[in-house]
Amino acid sequence: SLVGSEMCIRDRFISDYEAGALVSDIQAANESLGVTLEFQGCVDFEHDVYMRNVHVINQFNREREIRLFFHQVMRISNSLNGDTAQYLPDDNAILHYKGRRAFICSAMKKDGLPFDQFSVGVYGIEGKEGTFRDAEDGWLEGNAVEHGSVDSVVGLNLQLEAHGSTRVSYWVAAGRDRREALDAFAKTKNQGVHERIVKTADYWRAWLQPANTFLDKVDPVLRSPFIKSLLITKAHIDNHGAVIASTDTTMRNYSRDAYAYCWPRDAAFALWPLLRLGYFREVEQFFHFCRRVLQPEGFLMHKYQADGSLGSSWHPYSVAGRVVPPIQEDETAIVLFLFGQYYQITDNKEQLEAFYDTLIRPAANFLVSYIDEATKLPHASYDIWERRFLTTTYTTAIVYAALQAVAKLAEVMGRQQDAVQWQTVADDIHVAAQTLLFNPDKKYFYKGFIRQQKSDGTQPSLMYEDTIDTSSFYGAFMFGLFDLHGSEVQQSFETLKQTFHFSDENATPIPRFEHDEYNNMDLEHNIGNPWFVSTLWMAQYYMETKRVVQAERIIQWVHEHMLPSGVLSEQLLPGSNQFVSVAPLAWSQAEFINTIIDLSSDPIKEITIAESS
């Protein structure tokens, strides 16, 4: 007997996507068992159904019976408690449900016959590991119902000729109740899993049409990872506007939470390249989402569930005795910046009018109200990495760019008072930043500062943090807070290279900031794990300064360290380049897309390459 999970097959395992579609293409083989499994899997583009086709191949030169088992554990509402699993004899299916969530699963042979075996049991409690143990002898006991922490298994007995093969269909339908899940279940069963997978693949290839018009400009070697990254990014976008940071749930096993939340910042970065390629609907849906969750004061909170409810947070409402909103101000600012980019590309006055008074104006007014009158810079909030409560260079840069963008939108709307107010604050920020945010000793932008209240009643002083942080450099040049060709940006780049042992001649990956302890297994001997995001920012700077060859080296390095599926993680372990933390991270995929767009759109590319050779 053979448990039908690709993770159980060790001799060969290849995980990829079909060309141009969010349909998995997985191959797994075990030479000693003499079995190869080929999986096609996807979520239906119309219905709430996960589908999988399994091609079972007998490698031996003799007739055999192979038993294939599918194991289900549903963590409904992030909990294993209070679930019920039941066998549905009329439907030849297994139902898992709790509250307003129901999941119905089944498997079918090539000839249309249902699974041969099933069993339901308890999982991970009362000294029992789970019903999957019942499959190890090749036969399931047929228990029909269980409640609490539950799991289920269905099994199929397959007769294969020598070197023969057969196919099995498997699907899981979801709904808010049993009736809704059964409806989606029946539609898939009646139309056929294979047919629904084909239709879903066709849908994704049609969705790629805007990107395909740009594809001729992309280096042929990069076209496949470019498209895969685009599809992976799209897979994180909810139909109601939320953009999930990562669909990887493995963090749940090692940390306090997963990444299945919508951070407005991550979402905006994920959508920026899609906007540049002409995917306007996804961006517009995100603006609807932001409008729904915008606080009455005009700011966005730390992170959200996909339905718009508030996500978990580690930001308090008070810092050093001061009552403060538990926010990262850059998350509000970047949404306004993205809207400015959206209008610049689309010239869609109708959408501008729809969002001006309900999203743009309240958020912009919050930004101008959240200014320290003494410094003319934004009040402290949590930084881009969600760790430090400071007035940071990065947040200052994106607030500056956002206010410039919305001032132009106000002019389009004929709201001169708004335009003048927002642009005046932006101008003040720009002037103050030149004096307060560059560290002449380190020749680098300060990470940030906090105003220190003095007990003697004298004027508060600024307590600086001078950590070398890539976001300070990126924000300063990308959002125009400092002159791209000015001495501050140039000196900061040289300091950054020296700190992270980065040179123009190699593509050394870099961490987000020095001495970053997050997931760092060897902080004593390295300054932090490399991040794809921060490394790709360096490529974008090279593109901005017309050093295309150096940018290409970084893109090539990223391409070489992708999984075959195109997946990029958040971090890498230094030396081994093993993926660390979540994979995929939508932000990593998006920065890769953005950098290729920069490279492929650059008019001096051919000249630069010719000169360098």
Side-chain angles (χ1 to χ4, degrees), residues 225-237:
F226 176 79
I227 291 297
K228 288 178 179 178
S229 286
L230 185 60
L231 287 168
I232 291 169
T233 303
K234 170 62 175 173
H236 290 76
I237 301 175

Side-chain angles (χ1 to χ4, degrees), residues 382-553:
Y382 289 92
D383 70 342
I384 184 174
W385 311 123
E386 310 172 287
R387 301 174 69 258
R388 304 285 292 144
F389 185 78
L390 300 165
T391 294
T392 65
T393 296
Y394 172 80
T395 297
T396 300
I398 188 60
V399 169
Y400 167 68
L403 289 175
Q404 284 197 305
V406 293
K408 293 175 182 177
L409 297 178
E411 290 177 355
V412 173
M413 291 290 293
R415 306 284 191 93
Q416 293 304 317
Q417 185 174 349
D418 287 344
V420 170
Q421 181 189 21
W422 299 340
Q423 186 60 56
T424 298
V425 175
D427 292 342
D428 289 345
I429 289 173
H430 186 262
V431 171
Q434 312 307 305
T435 304
L436 297 176
L437 293 180
F438 185 74
N439 183 349
D441 296 327
K442 280 198 170 182
K443 294 182 172 56
Y444 196 80
F445 299 108
Y446 286 111
K447 178 179 177 66
F449 64 81
I450 189 78
R451 288 187 68 190
Q452 183 83 8
Q453 297 290 337
K454 293 186 177 180
S455 57
D456 59 6
T458 58
Q459 191 71 14
S461 60
L462 303 184
M463 302 296 293
Y464 280 98
E465 182 174 325
D466 60 3
T467 301
I468 304 300
D469 188 321
T470 56
S471 70
S472 303
F473 174 73
Y474 172 77
F477 86 80
M478 180 57 71
F479 300 113
L481 186 64
F482 284 79
D483 181 3
L484 177 67
H485 303 291
S487 61
E488 295 92 346
V489 170
Q490 293 181 17
Q491 289 178 30
S492 292
F493 187 55
E494 292 304 315
T495 299
L496 189 149
K497 289 196 295 183
Q498 293 170 17
T499 302
F500 298 132
H501 312 296
F502 186 87
S503 74
D504 293 337
E505 288 71 38
N506 60 41
T508 305
I510 62 174
R512 52 183 182 165
F513 54 84
E514 58 181 339
H515 310 302
D516 182 6
E517 72 280 4
Y518 181 48
N519 282 321
N520 192 339
M521 309 300 181
D522 188 18
L523 187 57
E524 182 180 352
H525 297 99
N526 68 68
I527 53 179
N529 294 335
W531 282 49
F532 285 109
V533 166
S534 51
T535 302
L536 285 163
W537 283 347
M538 298 305 99
Q540 292 168 24
Y541 174 72
Y542 278 131
M543 289 300 305
E544 289 287 336
T545 53
K546 311 304 180 187
R547 287 177 278 183
V548 179
V549 173
Q550 288 84 351
E552 287 178 325
R553 290 194 185 109

Side-chain angles (χ1 to χ4, degrees), residues 182-478:
L182 271 174
D183 181 61
F185 174 86
K187 288 177 180 176
T188 304
K189 182 178 181 180
N190 293 337
Q191 296 182 39
V193 168
H194 174 73
E195 289 73 16
R196 293 307 305 173
I197 290 177
V198 170
K199 287 181 179 294
T200 297
D202 289 342
Y203 167 84
W204 287 116
R205 292 182 179 114
W207 181 84
L208 282 171
Q209 189 55 43
N212 288 336
T213 61
F214 180 79
L215 207 56
D216 287 343
K217 301 177 183 179
V218 178
D219 186 322
V221 175
L222 297 173
R223 288 175 187 173
S224 177
F226 176 79
I227 291 297
K228 288 178 179 178
S229 286
L230 185 60
L231 287 168
I232 291 169
T233 303
K234 170 62 175 173
H236 290 76
I237 301 175
D238 184 86
N239 281 338
H240 300 289
V243 183
I244 300 305
S246 177
T247 52
D248 187 343
T249 60
T250 57
M251 286 291 288
R252 188 187 306 277
N253 297 326
Y254 307 105
S255 300
R256 300 179 184 181
D257 210 344
Y259 275 38
Y261 294 98
C262 178
W263 278 264
R265 173 190 50 257
D266 289 52
F269 274 119
L271 291 168
W272 195 358
L274 270 70
L275 173 62
R276 298 176 70 187
L277 290 169
Y279 290 95
F280 305 140
R281 180 172 175 268
E282 287 80 1
V283 180
E284 291 162 1
Q285 289 174 322
F286 174 63
F287 293 144
H288 281 285
F289 175 85
C290 292
R291 181 167 61 184
R292 290 198 308 272
V293 301
L294 192 71
Q295 297 296 296
E297 299 90 339
F299 56 76
L300 293 166
M301 296 294 283
H302 181 186
K303 55 189 170 111
Y304 297 90
Q305 303 271 9
D307 63 2
S309 57
L310 203 58
S312 61
S313 181
W314 46 91
H315 297 336
Y317 275 92
S318 64
V319 177
R322 295 166 51 197
V323 177
V324 296
I327 64 169
Q328 299 159 273
E329 188 183 5
D330 69 283
E331 295 203 277
T332 303
I334 199 168
V335 173
L336 296 181
F337 172 80
L338 185 67
F339 204 106
Q341 295 285 297
Y342 167 82
Y343 187 78
Q344 184 177 328
I345 292 172
T346 65
D347 200 28
N348 192 329
K349 185 73 175 293
E350 182 180 351
Q351 290 290 341
L352 175 58
E353 291 173 345
F355 285 101
Y356 188 85
D357 286 315
T358 53
L359 174 63
I360 297 169
R361 193 168 188 271
N365 282 340
F366 167 73
L367 295 185
V368 299
S369 72
Y370 206 65
I371 296 292
D372 185 340
E373 287 301 316
T375 64
K376 302 298 183 183
L377 296 181
H379 282 301
S381 65
Y382 289 92
D383 70 342
I384 184 174
W385 311 123
E386 310 172 287
R387 301 174 69 258
R388 304 285 292 144
F389 185 78
L390 300 165
T391 294
T392 65
T393 296
Y394 172 80
T395 297
T396 300
I398 188 60
V399 169
Y400 167 68
L403 289 175
Q404 284 197 305
V406 293
K408 293 175 182 177
L409 297 178
E411 290 177 355
V412 173
M413 291 290 293
R415 306 284 191 93
Q416 293 304 317
Q417 185 174 349
D418 287 344
V420 170
Q421 181 189 21
W422 299 340
Q423 186 60 56
T424 298
V425 175
D427 292 342
D428 289 345
I429 289 173
H430 186 262
V431 171
Q434 312 307 305
T435 304
L436 297 176
L437 293 180
F438 185 74
N439 183 349
D441 296 327
K442 280 198 170 182
K443 294 182 172 56
Y444 196 80
F445 299 108
Y446 286 111
K447 178 179 177 66
F449 64 81
I450 189 78
R451 288 187 68 190
Q452 183 83 8
Q453 297 290 337
K454 293 186 177 180
S455 57
D456 59 6
T458 58
Q459 191 71 14
S461 60
L462 303 184
M463 302 296 293
Y464 280 98
E465 182 174 325
D466 60 3
T467 301
I468 304 300
D469 188 321
T470 56
S471 70
S472 303
F473 174 73
Y474 172 77
F477 86 80
M478 180 57 71

